[in-house]
Amino acid sequence: MNLKKVLEVKDLKISFDTFAGKVHAIRGVSFDLYEGETLAIVGESGSGKSVTTRSIMRLLSSNANIDNGEILFKGANIVKKSEKEMQSIRGKEIAMIFQDPMTSLDPTMPIGKQVAESLIKHNKVSKKEGLKAALDLLNLVGIPNAEKRLKNYPHQFSGGQRQRIVIAIALICYPEVLIADEPTTALDVTIQAQILELMKEIQGKINTSIIFITHDLGVVANVADRVAVMYGGRIVEVGTSEEIFYNPQHPYTWGLLGSMPTLEGTEDRLYAIPGSPPDLLAPPTGDAFYPRNEFAMQIDTEEAPPYFEISSTHQAATWLLAPQAPKVEPPLEIQRRWKIFQEKQAAKKG
Ligand SMILES: Nc1ncnc2c1ncn2[C@@H]1O[C@H](COP(=O)(O)OP(=O)(O)OP(=O)(O)O)[C@@H](O)[C@H]1O
Ligand SMILES: [Mg+2]
């Protein structure tokens, strides 16, 4: 793996002012993004995936406060940049595909022009050169007859094709970082996987780093180099895909792995992690996961766990990894599902 860091997020804390009080959405998030890698961020709804990535683009709502931390992009702190400086980074050096890509296309503009727009704006190329680049990229993302279709409007394309167009728009300036915030929730998991494959293929050609956000761990199993698991505004476990899928340490990660659909037979009821996420208006002092953790100990109620190192690439924040803690095994139902998943992965690899 290339060890050159493109992004370094350090102890980021973000809160929102609301009528009900302060929502402590991001409570000390740190991670690095390496050149050319794909980092998946997974976690339940409300865990802080979008707020984290929107802060990298500095696209937070006006009631947001960045209370602490820095986001280093090529050595400079994004948190401190002016809006004007951000405008030259956004879309050019760091691009984002939003959660609902269908609404991010302009229905009144031909797609050739839409794809070329940000290149013309940022790189000051001529209209003609812009359209030529747009055509190359539309071919690359697999739009059939792209040359003839440059003048077509979004409604003239299928859902899957529009998805590809949105990716072309994000990639037109060959950004160093591409953030995809669950780009295909509206589409089924198979298409989600195809889109991710496509992004990987293009990544191989332009060496961009990808942050891919999803609820579904299964989707990223074959494509993410590393996985960060978020819970209650923190990263609770991070590791290579191999480490997260074959040697997970945090009970929340066990739950996520156990709740992946196995897509088999009628006996297949989806396992759900019992309980609900923490109240971020008043986050607990201890481990935010303890009310849902069947292995919780006294200390979980008193003190937030530090990161314990499993390997140089693998860390998890759970008191279960403290030397004094009893050794526990993941619940049997989770182990059973996990095994089905691993067998399938092995079968896919042939
Ligand atoms: N503008 C806002 N005002 C108040 N609270 C907010 C705002 N935006 C986000 N939050 C809160 O911040 C927390 C993290 O939200 P975020 O959107 O990052 O979650 P997520 O992990 O992306 O979830 P999902 O999977 O549903 O997209 C949530 O508790 C959410 O309610
Ligand atoms: Mg989100």
Side-chain angles (χ1 to χ4, degrees):
M1 197 164 84
N2 185 334
L3 289 182
K4 192 169 165 221
K5 288 175 191 173
V6 183
L7 264 181
E8 290 171 73
V9 177
K10 294 184 178 176
D11 200 20
L12 190 65
K13 293 182 182 157
I14 298 173
S15 62
F16 292 97
D17 298 320
T18 72
F19 286 117
K22 249 187 201 312
V23 176
H24 298 274
I26 304 300
R27 305 186 302 125
V29 161
S30 303
F31 66 91
D32 298 327
L33 181 69
Y34 298 102
E35 195 175 271
E37 79 162 336
T38 300
L39 171 71
I41 302 182
V42 300
E44 281 169 310
S45 188
S47 58
K49 307 179 298 292
S50 295
V51 173
T52 301
T53 45
R54 277 176 160 272
S55 69
I56 297 170
M57 290 283 272
R58 281 269 304 278
L59 287 175
L60 293 170
S61 54
S62 58
N63 62 334
N65 317 294
I66 299 185
D67 299 320
N68 189 65
E70 46 186 28
I71 301 170
L72 299 180
F73 174 59
K74 299 199 290 191
N77 189 1
I78 281 188
V79 172
K80 297 267 185 274
K81 287 198 187 288
S82 68
E83 176 55 27
K84 192 155 176 259
E85 287 172 302
M86 281 316 296
Q87 280 172 10
S88 67
I89 292 178
R90 244 181 248 136
K92 181 171 191 259
E93 297 182 85
I94 307 177
M96 188 155 179
I97 302 174
F98 290 98
Q99 208 152 15
D100 186 4
M102 299 316 171
T103 55
S104 55
L105 289 173
D106 180 345
T108 67
M109 199 195 279
I111 59 123
K113 204 172 159 200
Q114 284 192 58
V115 175
E117 203 178 26
S118 117
L119 189 68
I120 295 170
K121 179 179 132 205
H122 285 296
N123 293 20
K124 316 251 175 328
V125 304
S126 71
K127 246 188 186 162
K128 201 174 154 207
E129 285 169 304
L131 280 177
K132 167 76 181 65
L135 176 60
D136 289 346
L137 209 53
L138 286 166
N139 279 322
L140 188 66
V141 299
I143 298 290
N145 297 320
E147 183 151 22
K148 289 204 184 92
R149 306 203 64 184
L150 285 175
K151 292 214 163 85
N152 287 174
Y153 290 86
H155 73 267
Q156 292 168 289
F157 294 85
S158 71
Q161 287 173 334
R162 282 194 291 242
Q163 186 74 57
R164 287 163 192 266
I165 295 167
V166 170
I167 294 176
I169 292 175
L171 289 173
I172 189 76
C173 292
Y174 286 41
E176 273 142 291
V177 179
L178 174 65
I179 300 168
D181 190 347
E182 201 134 58
T184 47
T185 12
L187 302 170
D188 69 39
V189 177
T190 329
I191 298 181
Q192 225 184 96
Q194 283 171 12
I195 295 291
L196 190 48
E197 296 281 347
L198 171 67
M199 284 170 49
K200 289 291 289 181
E201 203 184 303
I202 296 169
Q203 181 180 43
K205 291 178 184 151
I206 72 175
N207 199 36
T208 187
S209 309
I210 296 177
I211 299 179
F212 192 88
I213 295 177
T214 179
H215 286 96
D216 190 342
L217 261 173
V219 170
V220 298
N222 296 312
V223 278
D225 299 299
R226 293 189 306 131
V227 178
V229 178
M230 282 196 81
Y231 185 78
R234 289 206 169 124
I235 291 177
V236 295
E237 181 160 8
V238 62
T240 64
S241 276
E242 200 75 9
E243 288 166 335
I244 297 296
F245 285 100
Y246 291 91
N247 188 28
Q249 298 293 322
H250 198 288
Y252 179 63
T253 313
W254 294 345
L256 277 185
L257 287 165
S259 56
M260 281 188 313
T262 54
L263 305 167
E264 258 149 20
T266 46
E267 52 85 43
D268 193 60
R269 276 178 300 120
L270 206 59
Y271 167 88
I273 305 168
S276 45
D279 177 7
L280 296 175
L281 281 165
T285 31
D287 183 347
F289 188 60
Y290 86 81
R292 303 171 78 180
N293 181 3
E294 61 179 286
F295 309 107
M297 299 170 283
Q298 180 67 31
I299 186 143
D300 284 296
T301 65
E302 294 162 356
E303 206 180 314
Y307 287 101
F308 291 93
E309 188 140 303
I310 300 108
S311 79
S312 62
T313 49
H314 190 188
Q315 288 95 39
T318 168
W319 285 115
L320 288 173
L321 291 172
Q324 312 89 309
K327 289 284 152 277
V328 299
E329 289 278 321
L332 286 177
E333 169 61 9
I334 289 176
Q335 290 195 37
R336 189 185 70 82
R337 290 177 161 276
W338 209 349
K339 226 167 142 196
I340 298 174
F341 169 79
Q342 290 179 347
E343 280 160 11
K344 277 198 186 159
Q345 287 301 111
K348 263 192 216 159
K349 281 187 184 153

